[in-house]
């Protein structure tokens, strides 16, 4: 963690638009460190998604193609299949990946596309103003679940990483958080592992990152961090759910 | 060179390969499945990729991805699948990403049926998805044109950084005709090295995108697209025109309807009537000028379509009331015979039309 | 010259095969040709038909309401396409599968021929459609038997190439019957 205070090379030196206490900035930094570490900046093509992360093309010093909401796993498949030597990076929110783009991520994973997916789970639709996401916790109030999410109405928060880990095409799947220094260290390790899965052509590498959205949670940064610890982690357990070292599929 | 005898669908697939397209993304749907079936056999051996996607939504976005890196790629489908692709087509248009989309039309609305139809004229020529854009739309009428226009679609798409569409139908896709499989010149420099994504090696990073949030940026972007559309209209409009000096009537139709109408026109001519034929080959840009010329003479026009009246609106816009425009439409589930169109021609010539 | 023909029968009778053969035969003679099969729902219903339009210029309509010639390999095809044959046109009825002695139409030349019987005599009832096509081109003269024979290797799948001589025999047997009746 010695680099924590220096700016990774792959991150552009501009002011970010993220709200105070939002974890997107922290996650960007970790991802940029991985790009630097694996020396892939000059061969990386990012597939941006729609959500607060759409601006990845402003922050990462890499080539980026924009994708329609939820479709970046398909866009990335097109990029990777026609440019297998490039490193292809996805960065998706929970509305993007776990709602509108469920089919795209599951099938890209099942095909074993060697892509690196950073999945930011903040339990809300951030960019559009805090509506309910498929990952919204039971009882959580959002602008479209004003009485709190209820199973009978909206089902349970979806555990995507556990689902994706089932698929043979996934080489690495983990859930991490970035709310404490200890979690941050593990998150970095996981992101590196997800990069390695692609670099070593083993299949899809994905990391779900439990992330705060103080603005839409109606909390300050400290309260938001605490919520990750007390509410999210008990339901969304941290850990590595899949680690396939070989590139052999069954 | 001996000609092969091919299905229209296969002609499109072969043309894609001749045009240097190594990447295909699709999802099965009748009546175009010959295209993915053919390419799944051929592309892997050429070092290309065939991906059967989980949906048309995914396949158009794979096309977007490949196109953003400057690779020639194609997707094909039929009407319901083309509806699903509209989102991606809009993004491609907005981000100015080339790519070829083939629509072997079947019948709608909804699930409709699998018979030939020209019901997607509006969807194709008006952009189809959200936003203010156009795609180049080419309408082949023979198996040879399925081949020739597919090659042209790749060239125009690359030349103007715009998605191009082949608008054919079940009839053209399933029928067989002689085919000359000529090979186009490849490796033309379209200046793509200036914008495609290759990784930011030794240069500034690039973005291929359609989002413009700066003050006035999006308006400027839209005007730039409009300028491009204008350039395409000026340079790439195509039609097949066969109108005698003394024509008493001009029949207009595109694609398979034009084939049926052609036989009706020939029959009227054999019987001594002077009837012209005007077949748009580019549906967008629409060959309005050719219709203006007809209008200048005030020659009546009969539009024949396999729908309830779509292209006829563009004809009317073009002639601005200078010619009387009649319409003869055949919605799907039924293919007209040349005789029916001949009867309609005779009604108009005899002034019996009601 | 513009000649529209329809061949129709049960699926599996080789209808699409003879449609292709006639088309390629026309190509061999330097003529223009369009082959349009019925497909989809109709095919699953157990009947098959295709339209072959041959022309010395570019072919116009791939479909027709008034064919110049029809090969009807079974009863339903006689009922469906017989009445549509153009005046001055030609209708072939396979009497082995269509016991239809009644059909007649003014100005239409009808040939009744037991295609399956002749094919069985040659050793393979599957050749019935070839017999029909031989008779058809003999009567109509739209392409020559020689062109069809030349076209056989392009139409038959590789593994059936050893049967080319037998197919040729069937075409010629049909032609012979037509010439004599
Ligand atoms: C087809 C489509 N539907 C809806 C939207 C509106 N939209 C933009 S971002 C977004 C939600 C993003 O939420 P998430 O993926 O959780 O990312 P976050 O903003 O929370 O980081 C939605 C619904 C859209 N852009 N496109």
């Amino acid at each position: 963690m010695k680099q924590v205070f220096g700016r990774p090379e792959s991150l552009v030196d501009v002011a970010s638009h993220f709200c105070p206490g939002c974890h997107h900035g922290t996650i960007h930094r970790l991802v940029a460190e991985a790009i630097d570490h694996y020396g892939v900046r000059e061969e990386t093509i990012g597939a941006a998604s729609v959500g607060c992360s759409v601006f990845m093309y402003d922050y990462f010093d890499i080539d980026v193609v924009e994708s329609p909401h939820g479709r970046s796993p398909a866009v990335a498949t097109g990029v990777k299949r026609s440019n297998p030597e490039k490193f292809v990076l996805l960065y998706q929110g929970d509305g993007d990946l776990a709602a509108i783009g469920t089919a795209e991520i599951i099938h890209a994973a099942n095909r074993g596309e060697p892509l690196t997916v950073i999945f930011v789970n903040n339990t809300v639709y951030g960019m559009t103003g805090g509506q309910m996401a498929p990952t919204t916790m039971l009882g959580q109030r959002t602008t479209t679940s004003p009485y709190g999410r209820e199973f009978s109405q909206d089902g349970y928060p979806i555990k995507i990483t556990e689902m994706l880990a089932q698929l043979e095409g996934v080489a690495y799947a983990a859930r991490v958080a970035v709310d404490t220094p200890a979690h941050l260290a593990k998150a970095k390790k996981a992101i590196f592992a997800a990069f390695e899965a692609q670099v070593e052509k083993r299949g899809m590498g994905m990391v779900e990152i439990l992330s705060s959205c103080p603005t839409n949670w109606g909390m300050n940064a400290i309260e938001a961090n605490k919520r990750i610890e007390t509410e999210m982690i008990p339901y969304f357990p941290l850990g590595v759910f899949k680690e396939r070292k070989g590139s052999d599929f069954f | 060179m001996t000609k092969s005898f091919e299905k229209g669908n296969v002609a499109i697939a072969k043309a894609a390969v001749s045009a240097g397209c190594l990447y295909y993304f699709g999802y099965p749907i009748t009546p175009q499945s010959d295209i993915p079936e053919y390419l799944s056999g051929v592309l892997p051996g050429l070092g290309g990729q065939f991906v059967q996607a989980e949906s048309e939504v995914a396949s158009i976005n794979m096309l977007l991805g490949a196109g953003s890196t400057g690779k020639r790629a194609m997707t094909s489908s039929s009407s319901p699948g083309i509806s699903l692709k509209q989102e991606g087509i809009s993004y491609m248009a907005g981000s100015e990403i080339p790519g070829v989309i083939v629509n072997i039309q079947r019948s709608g609305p909804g699930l409709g049926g699998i018979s030939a139809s020209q019901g997607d004229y509006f969807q194709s020529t008006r952009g189809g998805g959200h936003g203010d854009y156009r795609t180049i739309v080419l309408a082949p009428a023979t198996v040879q044109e399925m081949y020739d226009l597919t090659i042209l679609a790749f060239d125009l798409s690359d030349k103007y950084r715009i998605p191009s569409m082949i608008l054919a139908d079940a009839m053209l896709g399933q029928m067989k005709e002689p085919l000359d499989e000529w090979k186009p010149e490849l490796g033309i420099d379209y200046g793509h090295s200036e914008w495609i994504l290759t990784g930011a090696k030794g240069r500034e990073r690039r973005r291929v995108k359609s989002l413009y949030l700066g003050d006035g940026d999006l308006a400027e972007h839209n005007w730039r697209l409009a300028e491009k559309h204008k350039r395409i209209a000026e340079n790439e409009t195509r039609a097949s025109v066969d109108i005698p000096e003394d024509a008493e009537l001009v029949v207009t139709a595109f694609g398979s309807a034009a084939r049926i109408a052609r036989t009706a026109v020939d029959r009227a001519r054999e019987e001594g009537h002077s009837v012209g034929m005007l077949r748009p080959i580019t549906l967008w840009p629409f060959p309005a000028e050719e219709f203006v010329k007809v209008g200048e003479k005030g020659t009546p026009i009969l539009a024949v379509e396999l729908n309830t009246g779509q292209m006829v609106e563009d004809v009317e816009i073009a002639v601005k009331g200078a010619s009387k425009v009649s319409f003869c439409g055949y919605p799907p589930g039924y293919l007209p015979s040349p005789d029916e169109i001949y009867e309609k021609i005779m009604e108009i010539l005899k002034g019996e039309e009601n | 010259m513009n000649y529209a023909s329809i061949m129709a029968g049960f699926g599996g009778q080789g209808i699409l095969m003879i449609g292709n053969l006639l088309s390629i035969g026309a190509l061999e003679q330097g003529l223009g040709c369009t082959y349009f099969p019925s497909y989809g729902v109709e095919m699953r219903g157990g009947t098959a038909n295709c339209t072959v339009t041959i022309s010395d210029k570019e072919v116009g309509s791939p479909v027709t309401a008034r064919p110049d010639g029809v090969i009807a390999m079974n009863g339903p095809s006689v009922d469906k396409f017989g009445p549509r044959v153009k005046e001055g046109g030609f209708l072939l009825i396979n009497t082995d599968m269509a016991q239809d002695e009644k059909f007649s139409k003014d100005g239409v030349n009808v040939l009744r021929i037991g295609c399956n019987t002749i094919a069985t005599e040659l050793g393979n009832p599957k050749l019935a459609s070839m017999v029909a096509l031989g008779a058809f081109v003999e009567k109509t003269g739209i392409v020559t038997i020689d062109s069809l024979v030349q076209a056989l290797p392009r139409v038959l799948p590789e593994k059936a190439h050893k049967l080319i001589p037998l197919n040729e025999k069937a075409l010629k047997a049909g032609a012979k019957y037509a010439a004599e009746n």
Side-chain angles (χ1 to χ4, degrees):
Chain A
M1 295 282 296
K2 66 180 191 315
Q3 267 222 336
V4 148
F5 298 104
R7 180 173 56 83
E9 258 179 46
S10 304
L11 220 47
V12 182
D13 190 11
V14 292
S16 102
H17 74 293
F18 296 120
C19 309
C22 165
H23 283 163
H24 269 305
T26 311
I27 299 165
H28 273 44
R29 170 179 291 271
L30 293 179
V31 173
E33 282 175 14
I35 297 174
D36 288 356
H37 178 84
Y38 289 96
V40 293
R41 190 191 73 83
E42 295 185 331
E43 57 205 64
T44 295
I45 298 175
S49 59
V50 175
C52 291
S53 53
V54 66
F55 295 110
M56 77 182 270
Y57 50 60
D58 283 339
Y59 304 129
F60 290 104
D61 191 15
I62 58 170
D63 279 6
V64 175
V65 57
E66 168 196 277
S67 320
H69 195 16
R71 316 297 178 221
S72 60
V75 170
T77 297
V79 171
K80 187 75 180 184
R81 289 291 185 120
S82 56
N83 300 271
E85 73 291 355
K86 300 293 177 198
F87 186 87
V88 183
L89 176 67
L90 292 86
Y91 189 112
Q92 301 183 259
D94 43 24
D96 197 79
L97 182 144
I100 195 168
T102 322
E104 283 77 12
I105 190 64
I106 286 188
H107 288 280
N110 193 47
R111 286 190 302 263
E113 304 289 350
L115 304 170
T116 299
V117 182
I118 307 301
F119 168 42
V120 179
N121 174 2
N122 59 11
T123 73
V124 283
Y125 283 39
M127 172 171 255
T128 44
Q131 295 83 3
M132 183 176 60
T135 45
T136 293
M137 306 296 296
L138 285 184
Q140 183 180 342
R141 290 170 196 267
T142 70
T143 56
T144 52
S145 58
Y147 311 109
R149 180 178 187 156
E150 220 191 297
F151 165 68
S152 60
Q153 173 79 8
D154 307 307
Y156 280 93
I158 192 164
K159 297 181 184 180
I160 281 283
T161 301
E162 284 85 339
M163 286 168 62
L164 291 179
Q166 304 295 315
L167 301 174
E168 295 305 340
V170 174
Y172 183 82
R175 184 182 290 115
V176 299
V178 290
D179 57 327
T180 67
H183 283 161
L184 205 59
K186 280 190 178 159
K188 179 168 168 171
K189 232 177 116 190
I191 290 171
F192 277 40
F195 268 64
E196 229 165 74
Q198 177 170 183
V199 169
E200 293 174 359
K201 301 181 172 30
R202 277 185 277 120
M204 180 178 281
M206 70 88 59
V207 185
E208 173 175 347
I209 303 171
L210 301 183
S211 176
S212 69
C213 182
T215 302
N216 287 303
W217 294 354
M219 294 177 179
N220 64 31
I222 296 165
E223 291 165 347
N225 264 3
K226 202 166 175 72
R227 174 177 184 247
I228 290 178
E229 179 79 48
T230 57
E231 285 184 42
M232 287 176 72
I233 292 176
Y235 183 82
F236 290 115
L238 305 184
V240 177
F241 293 89
K242 176 79 167 280
E243 190 157 27
R244 176 166 50 69
K245 278 296 181 194
S247 56
D248 48 325
F249 292 79
F250 294 100
Chain B
M1 189 191 154
T2 64
K3 292 185 175 184
S4 52
F5 190 62
E6 285 298 358
K7 261 188 182 181
N9 282 339
V10 175
I12 286 178
K14 287 186 161 185
V17 173
S18 296
C21 165
L22 289 179
Y23 307 101
Y24 174 91
F25 312 101
Y27 187 84
I29 184 171
T30 305
Q32 61 82 54
S33 292
D34 310 286
I35 300 174
E37 282 163 9
Y38 179 86
L39 290 173
S40 63
V42 168
L43 289 180
L46 297 172
Q49 286 279 329
F50 168 88
V51 182
Q52 178 164 326
E54 63 274 23
S55 69
E56 290 85 352
V57 175
S59 53
I60 188 71
N61 283 294
M62 292 175 186
L63 183 72
L64 185 159
S68 73
T69 67
K71 299 290 162 71
R72 279 199 164 174
M74 183 170 92
T75 185
S76 65
S77 187
S78 180
S79 306
I82 297 292
S83 290
L84 281 179
K85 290 185 193 290
Q86 294 304 332
E87 174 192 59
I89 296 173
S90 166
Y91 274 73
M92 289 174 74
S95 304
E96 299 188 83
I97 296 174
V100 172
I101 300 129
V102 176
N103 182 0
I104 305 296
Q105 288 169 100
R106 53 190 258 179
S107 27
L111 197 50
I114 57 170
S115 58
S117 164
Q118 297 183 327
D120 301 349
Y121 178 90
F122 281 151
Q123 185 197 51
S124 319
T125 58
R126 268 58 180 173
H130 63 283
D132 194 354
Y133 73 96
R134 298 288 189 277
T135 54
I136 292 174
V137 184
L138 302 169
T142 63
V143 169
Q144 187 65 52
E145 279 190 355
M146 295 284 254
Y147 188 90
D148 300 351
L149 295 184
T150 298
I151 290 172
L152 180 65
F154 278 102
D155 281 334
L156 295 181
S157 182
D158 275 340
K159 188 167 168 192
Y160 295 98
R161 287 185 63 184
I162 190 169
S164 292
M165 183 176 271
I166 298 289
L167 188 68
D169 62 36
M171 184 168 173
L172 289 160
Q174 296 299 320
M175 75 191 200
K176 285 188 186 179
E177 286 184 326
L179 175 66
D180 170 6
E181 298 173 30
W182 59 281
K183 300 280 182 277
E185 184 196 337
L186 298 181
I188 298 169
D189 183 5
Y190 293 101
H192 286 190
S193 59
E194 298 301 308
W195 67 270
I196 57 170
L197 305 185
T198 55
K201 188 171 190 167
R203 57 159 173 77
E204 287 272 290
R205 70 199 157 121
R206 291 175 179 164
R207 309 133 176 214
V208 172
K209 66 181 181 79
S210 61
L211 181 67
Y212 292 85
L213 292 179
D215 236 359
D217 288 356
L218 191 54
E220 192 184 306
H221 178 58
N222 270 264
W223 279 121
R224 222 167 40 70
L225 292 180
E227 272 305 310
K228 173 165 90 176
H229 297 157
K230 213 170 122 199
R231 255 186 305 127
I232 295 171
E234 278 162 12
N235 298 310
E236 308 299 348
T237 305
R238 287 165 168 81
S240 152
V241 184
D242 174 17
I243 305 176
E245 262 311 300
D246 60 348
E248 306 158 67
L249 173 71
V250 171
V251 174
T252 184
F254 70 93
S256 53
R259 293 290 300 271
I260 303 171
R262 179 77 234 185
T263 295
V265 167
D266 286 345
R267 183 172 163 201
R269 284 185 183 180
E270 275 160 28
E271 292 171 13
H273 303 284
S274 184
V275 179
M277 179 90 203
L278 204 177
R279 174 170 70 88
I281 293 172
T282 51
L283 300 182
W284 191 89
F286 190 68
E289 280 303 313
E290 300 298 339
F291 288 93
V292 170
K293 287 183 213 158
V294 176
E296 278 164 2
K297 291 184 159 186
T299 316
I301 296 171
L302 170 64
V304 181
E305 297 178 67
L306 304 183
N307 56 43
T308 59
Q310 299 194 17
M311 184 185 77
V312 65
E313 291 190 5
D314 282 337
V315 175
E316 276 167 343
I317 290 169
V319 301
K320 295 193 176 71
S323 289
K324 181 170 191 293
V325 178
S326 307
F327 174 70
C328 181
Y330 302 94
Y334 172 81
L335 273 179
S337 70
D339 295 346
E340 290 168 70
I341 299 168
Y342 166 83
E343 299 297 338
K344 185 79 186 174
I345 291 172
M346 296 317 289
E347 261 176 43
I348 295 173
L349 291 180
K350 290 183 191 149
E352 288 169 358
E353 199 203 1
N354 42 30
Chain C
M1 186 267 265
N2 187 77
Y3 194 94
S5 47
I6 291 177
M7 26 233 84
F10 292 123
Q13 270 187 309
I15 300 299
L16 303 186
M17 164 77 82
I18 59 170
N20 272 289
L21 186 60
L22 177 59
S23 303
I24 305 236
L27 287 199
E28 297 279 349
Q29 287 184 213
L31 296 166
C33 178
T34 300
Y35 161 90
F36 182 55
S38 68
Y39 72 101
V41 182
E42 222 181 307
M43 219 152 93
R44 280 179 222 123
T47 67
N49 74 73
C50 62
T51 305
V52 176
T53 310
I54 297 172
S55 177
D56 50 10
K57 36 182 195 139
E58 226 180 76
V59 175
S61 177
V63 292
T64 181
R66 294 182 306 134
D68 296 279
V70 167
I71 295 177
M73 290 300 286
N74 64 7
S77 301
V78 177
D79 297 341
K80 184 166 178 185
F81 296 107
R84 299 188 195 173
V85 181
K86 212 181 212 170
E87 198 171 321
F90 171 70
L91 170 67
L92 180 151
I93 297 177
N94 174 19
T95 49
D96 287 330
M97 304 293 279
Q99 281 78 30
D100 196 338
E101 293 302 326
K102 301 184 300 292
F103 184 87
S104 76
K105 188 179 169 190
D106 280 352
V108 171
N109 179 13
V110 179
L111 175 71
R112 292 185 159 79
I113 169 172
C115 299
N116 296 63
T117 307
I118 296 174
T120 308
E121 280 165 12
L122 292 172
N124 190 343
K126 281 193 176 157
L127 294 168
S129 57
M130 286 290 167
V131 172
L133 185 61
F136 187 76
V137 302
E138 172 66 27
K139 279 285 185 199
T140 59
I142 43 169
V143 302
T144 64
I145 288 281
D146 282 349
S147 308
L148 295 183
V149 171
Q150 266 176 43
L152 278 171
R154 283 183 71 179
V155 175
L156 293 176
E158 199 78 44
K159 63 177 179 356
H161 278 196
K162 57 180 187 299
L163 297 175
I164 287 176
L166 197 56
N167 279 275
E168 181 177 341
K169 256 193 190 164
L171 286 168
K172 288 184 170 158
K176 179 163 179 285
Y177 182 92
E180 291 166 359
N181 289 277

